[in-house]
Amino acid sequence: MTVRKKLQKLGNSRVLLLDRDLLAALLPDGDLDATLLVEVVGSALVVRREDAPAPAPGEVERAATAAAPDVPGLTPTERLVLTALRGGAATRGELAETIGRAPETVSAALKTLKAAELVTQTGRDWRLTATAKTHLAEHEPDPYENLPPAVARLCRGLQQGPATAAELEERLRVTRGAVLMATARAVDAGLVERVPVARGAPPEYRLVRSA
């Protein structure tokens, strides 16, 4: 079930009213008499059962700011499902475990995504459609945006493949000294590694992981 709510006017205030539709989404087992706690944790509003353990602030912040493709009109859960399916086909249960959502919530998200022709189902497995893959590729976030500019430029240059310092100098249009300083910092950070080459040949560098 997907429920989108706006603030409602109640007396002289604007409130988020937890009506029966929203309660049904929060309490999929149908126990509408359960007591819910609503609290602000970091930058998120957390709603949980009174008898459920409180999540750690760090976990809440990571969930609230989880990187997911910005697909207009979709909920955060639907975007997280798309992100999870980028790694390959998965069942509803596997998706629920991966993104940390209830299976019922994932089912609702999959129904919406299927209607939007972003996912397809074969047996128990769900996978991205060609439309979804194209959209996600167009909105791929820059994995190096938070690195120092020189290191980020080097990593983007190495996305084209391994290269020597001379080749990077030409590829990046910077001085040899700038290339050597950037590669040293990237190697120390574990982002780049030296590729073994024949004796006497200039060393090559390649990416080992994303930032």
Side-chain angles (χ1 to χ4, degrees), residues 61-84:
E61 195 66 22
R62 283 191 295 273
T65 59
D70 184 15
V71 183
L74 297 184
T75 67
T77 296
E78 291 158 1
R79 294 197 298 270
L80 286 173
V81 168
L82 288 183
T83 300

Side-chain angles (χ1 to χ4, degrees), residues 89-134:
T91 65
R92 183 192 70 159
E94 291 169 341
L95 289 169
E97 183 176 355
T98 298
I99 70 173
R101 297 290 192 272
E104 295 82 3
T105 303
V106 172
S107 291
L110 289 169
K111 181 178 180 179
T112 299
L113 294 171
K114 185 176 182 179
E117 298 184 348
L118 295 174
V119 300
T120 185
Q121 184 180 19
T122 303
R124 297 178 59 214
D125 289 337
W126 292 86
R127 55 177 48 84
L128 296 177
T129 63
T131 299
K133 292 178 181 178
T134 299

Side-chain angles (χ1 to χ4, degrees), residues 3-41:
V3 179
R4 293 182 173 88
K5 298 294 295 182
K6 295 182 178 179
L7 291 178
Q8 297 175 239
K9 187 171 180 59
L10 192 63
N12 295 323
S13 302
R14 305 277 302 177
V15 302
L16 176 64
L17 185 63
L18 300 183
D19 56 21
R20 296 189 73 84
D21 285 342
L22 186 51
L23 284 174
L26 294 171
L27 300 167
D29 57 4
D31 184 9
L32 300 185
D33 293 324
T35 300
L36 295 175
L37 294 180
V38 181
E39 56 190 337
V40 175
V41 180

